[in-house]
Amino acid sequence: MSHTHDMLIELLREVNRGLAEQIKKILTEHQLPLTTIMITGQVKRKPGVTVSELARRTGFAKSHISKAVKELAKKGWIQKKTDPADQRRVRLFLSEDAEDQLAQVRERIRQQIAEVVSHLSEDKAAAMIEGLKEIRAALEITEQGKDDR
């Protein structure tokens, strides 16, 4: 790998860490643990998901997910509904309150990142857009290669 590629890898890591820190500060301001964001994000993407499915999707232990879901249900963020096809199964859904609060957090994160990128000139921003599109395409190619195995 070339020196340029090595430098790109290191810069991507630094930018990723920096953005993660900005997001972490915002989540702390809103008193939201990262696990809450991960769980609610999964429930938003797949309404009706089960605790077992959440555990598989997040990589967290089922017991950890169950405890977090219980807390989120107490807060009124997650609604538990029995699956009509299988009364033993409980499906999870986001409440409107959770949707509203998460939308506010997402907007605050978007504003923070907008502030960061506002320091770039239009030309630099356009060049970065093209570069990031190429990285996204390379990710897709890499994922397709893994799927073909």
Side-chain angles (χ1 to χ4, degrees):
M1 192 166 305
S2 73
H3 173 70
T4 304
H5 286 104
D6 284 339
M7 188 181 295
L8 177 60
I9 291 167
E10 189 54 38
L11 284 169
L12 286 170
R13 283 185 185 148
E14 288 177 30
V15 168
N16 186 46
R17 275 190 226 113
L19 290 174
E21 283 300 314
Q22 296 289 317
I23 291 168
K24 190 175 169 184
K25 286 178 192 175
I26 292 166
L27 295 179
T28 301
E29 286 171 16
H30 289 269
Q31 299 175 339
L32 292 173
L34 184 58
T35 53
T36 295
I37 296 301
M38 292 176 73
I39 290 168
T40 55
Q42 287 294 325
V43 175
K44 181 178 173 65
R45 280 187 283 288
K46 190 167 186 232
V49 68
T50 65
V51 169
S52 295
E53 288 174 291
L54 270 178
R56 280 191 297 277
R57 289 170 171 265
T58 62
F60 293 124
K62 188 176 173 183
S63 60
H64 185 72
I65 295 293
S66 293
K67 183 179 175 185
V69 165
K70 191 175 189 177
E71 290 299 314
L72 288 167
K74 272 189 211 174
K75 285 174 70 171
W77 278 41
I78 290 208
Q79 298 169 338
K80 297 178 178 182
K81 296 181 184 176
T82 305
D83 186 330
D86 182 352
Q87 298 294 313
R88 297 168 296 173
R89 194 170 275 194
V90 175
R91 302 272 177 195
L92 307 174
F93 301 87
L94 281 187
S95 68
E96 283 186 36
D97 186 41
E99 294 268 5
D100 293 344
Q101 290 192 38
L102 291 167
Q104 290 174 17
V105 171
R106 278 192 302 275
E107 179 56 24
R108 176 69 183 94
I109 290 169
R110 196 197 74 65
Q111 289 171 354
Q112 184 62 36
I113 294 171
E115 182 181 328
V116 170
V117 299
S118 72
H119 296 282
L120 299 173
S121 70
E122 286 292 319
D123 289 345
K124 292 283 185 189
M128 289 189 71
I129 288 168
E130 290 308 309
L132 290 170
K133 283 180 180 178
E134 289 185 33
I135 290 173
R136 182 178 61 194
L139 282 169
E140 290 170 1
I141 291 167
T142 302
E143 284 304 311
Q144 285 174 351
K146 287 180 182 177
D147 292 342
D148 293 342
R149 288 184 211 166

